[in-house]
Amino acid sequence: MANALYLFLRYFKRPALDKMIMEDEVSSTNLVRCITITGLFVPITLIIHLYFRFGNFKVGPEETTWLNDLFFLNMLMGPVCLFLSLTGLFLKFTRREYSLMSKLLPHLVFFVFAICGALCAIFGQSLDNAIITFMLACVLNAATILIRPLYAAIYFILIYCFFCYGVTLTQPDQNTILFNAIDGLCVIAVSFVISWVLWNNNMTRFKQDRLIQSQKQILEYQYEKLTIANEELEDTNSSKDQFFSILAHDLRGPLNSALALTTFLEEGAFEEDTEERKKTYNLLQNSLSNSAKLLENVLLWSTNQAGILNFKPCTLDVLETLKSSIDVLKIVAAQKNIEIINNVPGKIMISADVDMIHTVFRNLLSNAIKFTPNFGSVEINAEILDTAVRISVIDYGVGMSSKTLSNLFRIEKKMPGRGTNNETGTGLGLVLCKDFIEKHEGSIVVESKENEGSKFIITLPGRT
């Protein structure tokens, strides 16, 4: 799902996404530059103020008028630059560099410096014909502030018109006005070219930085996924190695016992003693039954792990399904004189796979019988929840410790302890139950205390 969304954004929303990211990058860069140039201009205005205020030099009447105008402009520029710099710092430290105010601040700074430079050149016409301040202001704006080329062209044309109009008011010589207009046009053209080149260069750099950052994030994400997959693979391999080691040990015991018992029977060791021969047959039957049950669980577990186990849920009656599972285990329960009490009412329906749910019930009941002492009982209860059915299998046997509970559904951990009649097992049946219940989008919970018994609670989707 995440990959599909990424591809959709990449191929269908890429222009809008690029524009949005570009505006954010431009806004953040411009904010830093505006803070820098306006902050640096504050002490410059102070130095200019002190120079013209306390400088010891002689001026004529014409120079006095020009100096007064410049002095007033300088006094105005100082507080304005200070205000703009503090505004930029406020936006930066409050993390509003992508706000509307942050996007408008560069345009305001652009016009403040451009108008200031134009006014200095206009006022200076009474002293000389130079337009150095106008040129410096335009070049400073072009070289520092990132403005889209279209906007920059409009802004430079407006400033040029303002400059030309101001020069006509302060310069009496028509030839000088014409030369200043031509020089100003050259300044505007050069400044625009500088602005356009720097804009393209910065856009290229932003895109390259974004591409590098994106590739870095992809590599980090892939490395993280690879690390997780490697850890899961190591855990899986370790679990399987331990499981097969346990399996080999537990399978070897019953088979060796069966071979030994068949050898005794073949040699006729118990032909005269009917009671001993009967016990031997029972032991042989139990040994082979345990081996068959173990192999059945192994086959089901391996098939489920391979993902080739068919899952076909249908509507089932809990009572009828449990009766079928109880019938299979009646003989086993009878050997220990254990009563299976089925308290499940009729007409409770669940959505489940027939084979899987039979396997779950058989394993839970077999486990309860194993750890219940002779002449004990196993209870089965069921209740209907809002959208599910809760089924409980309760025994009053040996129970489990907290350590056993924590490792109960882990395939790499062998369940400690034996049944009340020394029955053995690998715990694979409970692992299989958990896998099957989760495949049904259900849950399995265990409540148990030592010497008080255990309660296995499974929750399955219900059907009305």
Side-chain angles (χ1 to χ4, degrees):
M1 185 66 182
N3 291 334
L5 180 60
Y6 171 76
L7 291 174
F8 177 79
L9 289 175
R10 181 180 178 87
Y11 293 107
F12 295 96
K13 294 293 185 180
R14 187 60 180 269
L17 188 62
D18 283 350
K19 183 178 179 181
M20 181 181 67
I21 295 174
M22 185 186 301
E23 288 179 353
D24 289 343
E25 290 170 338
V26 169
S27 177
S28 179
T29 303
N30 273 338
L31 185 60
V32 174
R33 295 183 180 184
C34 288
I35 293 171
T36 303
I37 61 175
T38 53
L40 290 176
F41 205 78
V42 172
I44 292 175
T45 57
L46 181 60
I47 293 171
I48 294 173
H49 176 81
L50 294 175
Y51 175 76
F52 286 106
R53 180 82 173 177
F54 302 104
N56 186 16
F57 50 87
K58 295 179 181 181
V59 295
E62 293 182 356
E63 288 86 347
T64 301
T65 303
W66 178 78
L67 288 175
N68 288 335
D69 292 338
L70 182 62
F71 186 72
F72 173 77
L73 182 62
N74 182 71
M75 289 182 62
L76 185 63
M77 278 294 295
V80 170
C81 287
L82 180 61
F83 172 77
L84 293 174
S85 180
L86 293 176
T87 302
L89 288 171
F90 171 77
L91 294 172
K92 183 69 176 177
F93 285 104
T94 55
R95 301 183 183 276
R96 299 181 183 177
E97 56 264 42
Y98 306 132
S99 64
L100 178 62
M101 185 60 194
S102 296
K103 291 178 171 62
L104 293 177
L105 185 63
H107 301 269
L108 182 60
V109 172
F110 183 97
F111 275 104
V112 166
F113 278 98
I115 291 173
C116 177
L119 286 175
C120 287
I122 291 170
F123 294 153
Q125 293 299 309
S126 60
L127 181 64
D128 55 33
N129 301 327
I131 58 170
I132 299 297
T133 54
F134 178 66
M135 180 187 69
L136 291 176
C138 290
V139 172
L140 176 66
N141 280 334
T144 55
I145 302 175
L146 296 177
I147 304 291
R148 288 184 179 274
L150 177 61
Y151 296 159
I154 295 173
Y155 294 166
F156 280 125
I157 291 173
L158 292 175
I159 293 299
Y160 174 71
C161 293
F162 173 77
F163 166 74
C164 291
Y165 176 73
V167 169
T168 59
L169 298 177
T170 57
Q171 178 57 254
D173 188 1
Q174 294 299 318
N175 290 329
T176 304
I177 292 175
L178 179 61
F179 285 127
N180 282 339
I182 295 172
D183 291 341
L185 184 60
C186 294
V187 168
I188 291 298
V190 171
S191 299
F192 174 74
V193 170
I194 293 173
S195 176
W196 180 70
V197 170
L198 291 179
W199 172 268
N200 288 334
N201 288 342
N202 279 276
M203 291 306 103
T204 302
R205 180 171 62 84
F206 289 154
K207 290 179 181 178
Q208 289 175 345
D209 291 344
R210 194 190 318 156
L211 180 61
I212 292 172
Q213 185 66 24
S214 175
Q215 291 175 342
K216 181 180 178 182
Q217 291 176 353
I218 292 173
L219 288 174
E220 289 176 351
Y221 174 71
Q222 291 177 342
Y223 177 76
E224 183 179 354
K225 285 184 63 178
L226 185 62
T227 302
I228 294 173
N230 187 50
E231 291 176 354
E232 291 177 351
L233 182 61
E234 289 180 355
D235 291 341
T236 302
N237 288 334
S238 175
S239 299
K240 287 183 178 180
D241 290 342
Q242 294 183 43
F243 165 70
F244 284 118
S245 175
I246 294 170
L247 178 63
H249 176 270
D250 287 352
L251 194 58
R252 188 186 302 116
L255 290 177
N256 287 339
S257 299
L259 288 172
L261 291 171
T262 54
T263 301
F264 290 149
L265 292 172
E266 182 184 13
E267 293 174 353
F270 307 111
E271 285 186 0
E272 298 179 359
D273 193 337
T274 306
E275 190 68 27
E276 286 297 326
R277 187 168 66 251
K278 185 177 180 180
K279 288 182 180 180
T280 303
Y281 282 134
N282 286 335
L283 289 173
L284 180 60
Q285 183 183 17
N286 288 335
S287 181
L288 294 175
S289 175
N290 288 335
S291 299
K293 181 181 176 182
L294 178 59
L295 288 174
E296 180 186 1
N297 283 335
V298 170
L299 179 61
L300 286 171
W301 178 78
S302 60
T303 307
N304 183 54
Q305 292 296 307
I308 57 176
L309 192 63
N310 290 328
F311 177 62
K312 298 178 180 178
C314 60
T315 302
L316 299 176
D317 188 307
V318 176
L319 178 61
E320 296 301 323
T321 307
L322 278 169
K323 282 182 179 179
S324 176
S325 299
I326 292 171
D327 289 341
V328 175
L329 296 168
K330 273 185 177 180
I331 297 176
V332 179
Q335 289 176 347
K336 298 178 69 173
N337 294 303
I338 292 174
E339 181 184 8
I340 301 177
I341 304 172
N342 189 355
N343 295 323
V344 177
K347 304 303 180 182
I348 295 181
M349 312 305 288
I350 58 174
S351 177
D353 180 272
V354 178
D355 295 330
M356 288 187 182
I357 208 65
H358 272 300
T359 301
V360 170
F361 287 157
R362 284 200 305 270
N363 275 291
L364 292 179
L365 288 171
S366 176
N367 196 65
I369 293 169
K370 182 190 302 183
F371 293 100
T372 298
N374 295 342
F375 302 99
S377 63
V378 174
E379 292 183 16
I380 310 170
N381 300 317
E383 59 180 326
I384 301 175
L385 305 179
D386 291 337
T387 58
V389 174
R390 180 183 294 161
I391 304 167
S392 305
V393 178
I394 308 168
D395 69 72
Y396 302 95
V398 297
M400 289 176 280
S401 64
S402 57
K403 182 179 180 181
T404 303
L405 282 173
S406 63
N407 296 323
L408 196 60
F409 297 109
R410 297 177 62 181
I411 194 169
E412 73 274 13
K413 298 291 184 179
K414 179 178 172 63
M415 284 180 57
R418 291 174 174 264
T420 52
N421 284 2
N422 289 321
E423 299 98 328
T424 60
T426 60
L428 179 60
L430 291 178
V431 175
L432 200 60
C433 288
K434 183 174 184 295
D435 288 347
F436 284 177
I437 293 297
E438 289 179 349
K439 190 177 285 291
H440 286 79
E441 297 183 355
S443 63
I444 181 168
V445 179
V446 186
E447 298 174 359
S448 182
K449 290 184 179 180
E450 289 187 282
N451 301 318
E452 293 185 14
S454 303
K455 182 178 182 180
F456 287 80
I457 307 169
I458 61 174
T459 304
L460 293 167
R463 281 288 177 91
T464 56

